[in-house]
Amino acid sequence: MQNFKLFLWLLFFFLLQSVILPRWAVLGVKPDLFFVILVMVAFTQGILPGIIFGMFAGLLQDFLSSGLFVHTIGLVVWACVASTTHQSLAGEGVFGLLKLVALLTPLYNIFGFLLLILIYHYSFTAGSMFFIVVLSTIFNVLAAGLIFPILSPYLLPDGFRVAKKDVITYF
Amino acid sequence: MESSAFKKYLTYVLIIVFCIVFINLPRIRDNFLISGFRSALISVVYPVQYVAQATLAATFGRAANLAQLFGAASENSKLKQTVSELKARSAAYDSLAAENTELRQALGFYSRNQYGYRLQSCRIVAGGASNLFSALLIDRGARSGLVRDLAVVSENGLVGKIDEVFPYTARVQLVTDPGLLISAQVGRTRDFGVAAGCAQNRIRLLYVPSAADVRVGDSVVTSGRSDIFPAGILIGKVGKADKNNYDLFQTISINPAVDPAKLDIVFVVRSN
């Protein structure tokens, strides 16, 4: 039942991201809920659930937005980074998570820009890249603050300690 | 080597292999297995998005009506209730009238058919889910005869081109997408250039010579020197034009004619 509820919440956030948020985008920039949830999953569940979620969410996001696999690659790589570095980078609790989202969103976007520019020869301007990085970081932190209370009962059934222990045990 | 360290390095190696594989996958995007997987995934997701979009449209279309009805419930007078109900109906009529106007505009555009091409109307099902790309999903696909690289327009101007076709839906790459380059022409001066999206709902006009007399407000249209876009479709208006005496080309910024966030109906340009 818990898993089913989690699935319904993820479906809701997917529809929010693909149907509703594009209409409310500020100058074409909107929160990246896939990335925010990925950081939560990697933060609380560890590297493997993070990679699996990242792969599935990335494929979905890529098929909806381009024929390239920039999001699939980005989400899998950043699931790995988020789960292995959150202790040293961000710390514990909700504020740790928000700090992690604030730190990783610019890096995730820059990683995407670099892939597109270097491999696929896309033409971004420095101004638009800076604007997207700043705005999406603000949006993602706000979104993480709103989403975490909703998803935490499903992601953290036994609290933070158990989840962190799992991550430490894995490495 | 300890097993945990081995596991860690194995994970990193697998992720590097994964990245190499996925970077190269777009080169074989027409492969039967890959396109089949794409189509299957989109076909599963599309009905859910379609229902959500329809529900959203219906909810916002009648929001004023509902607000009025809730207001009426709080009033404890029959007369006020009647007035509120009438207001609610009026709001509903306003909503219907606005929708009617929008549809008439679309129909008028369809009837005028200024480009002389066969147009196919489509509704937008979902927007792009990413900040790196500018894309839309429409409610027609391969079953309606759509193929890749068809131009998509609205009554205001150029929307983009069909980037990928699935059985019941198709993805449109917008003019603001950084991966789309369009042969363009400044309407007044007839100077040629290349319109390149740069995300954030902006377009640049590249390779216009410094000697060209381009001014703010000039219309930029498709040049017709392309197999995809017919000539004369409005791309946008020049928002900024900077020229430097020492540069070969000007720096021109275009305000797009179409705001993708406000689009509901678009037209695919079919063959003559």
Side-chain angles (χ1 to χ4, degrees), chain A residues 74-91:
Chain A
L75 289 181
V76 168
V77 168
W78 291 101
C80 196
V81 173
S83 62
T84 52
T85 59
H86 74 85
Q87 277 185 316
S88 53
L89 277 179

Side-chain angles (χ1 to χ4, degrees), chain B residues 1-266:
Chain B
M1 192 185 287
E2 284 181 25
S3 99
S4 63
F6 175 73
K7 210 170 169 184
K8 188 175 169 181
Y9 289 121
L10 186 67
T11 310
Y12 291 145
V13 169
L14 285 177
I15 284 175
I16 290 168
V17 171
F18 167 86
C19 290
I20 292 168
V21 169
F22 272 76
I23 282 172
N24 285 292
L25 270 186
R27 294 176 213 280
I28 49 167
R29 63 193 275 179
D30 291 330
N31 178 284
F32 173 73
L33 277 178
I34 294 171
S35 60
F37 178 65
R38 278 172 195 272
S39 298
L41 192 66
I42 292 293
S43 300
V44 169
V45 167
Y46 166 70
V48 183
Q49 286 182 317
Y50 189 88
V51 170
Q53 172 64 32
T55 312
L56 191 75
T59 308
F60 278 95
R62 288 162 182 78
N65 189 359
L66 278 173
Q68 293 288 348
L69 284 174
F70 282 121
S74 67
E75 300 286 340
N76 204 15
S77 153
K78 200 178 176 181
L79 186 60
K80 281 186 178 176
Q81 218 170 36
T82 313
V83 170
S84 296
E85 278 176 16
L86 286 172
K87 279 184 181 173
R89 277 189 194 175
S90 164
Y93 287 140
D94 287 347
S95 168
L96 286 172
E99 191 183 356
N100 192 16
T101 309
E102 188 189 337
L103 289 171
R104 273 174 190 276
Q105 276 173 357
L107 187 66
F109 173 74
Y110 184 83
S111 309
R112 281 197 308 277
N113 196 3
Q114 63 195 72
Y115 306 121
Y117 281 78
R118 195 154 62 88
L119 299 174
Q120 182 165 13
S121 67
C122 308
R123 272 194 179 273
I124 290 164
V125 178
S130 163
N131 287 325
L132 302 177
F133 303 97
S134 306
L136 291 172
L137 278 189
I138 54 176
D139 68 346
R140 311 256 177 187
R143 300 281 172 118
S144 304
L146 297 191
V147 291
R148 197 192 289 174
D149 286 342
L150 290 176
V152 180
V153 298
S154 80
E155 63 265 30
N156 294 326
L158 186 66
V159 176
K161 73 168 176 106
I162 292 184
D163 179 36
E164 191 154 9
V165 180
F166 306 104
Y168 298 100
T169 181
R171 190 177 60 232
V172 178
Q173 188 179 21
L174 300 178
V175 281
T176 51
D177 189 272
L180 185 58
L181 301 172
I182 302 165
S183 174
Q185 196 172 23
V186 180
R188 188 175 56 81
T189 65
R190 315 308 291 165
D191 284 301
F192 287 96
V194 175
C198 52
Q200 202 201 326
N201 285 355
R202 278 176 51 216
I203 306 170
R204 287 178 298 158
L205 187 61
L206 308 172
Y207 310 123
V208 175
S210 285
D213 176 31
V214 179
R215 295 177 199 158
V216 173
D218 280 351
S219 298
V220 179
V221 297
T222 50
S223 71
R225 292 181 175 180
S226 152
D227 292 335
I228 300 173
F229 303 104
I233 306 175
L234 183 67
I235 297 172
K237 299 215 166 179
V238 174
K240 205 168 122 187
D242 292 333
K243 59 173 88 171
N244 188 327
N245 289 336
Y246 306 104
D247 284 342
L248 285 175
F249 304 112
Q250 300 187 35
T251 309
I252 298 173
S253 174
I254 305 172
N255 298 324
V258 173
D259 181 359
K262 291 176 182 163
L263 283 175
D264 279 320
I265 298 167
V266 292

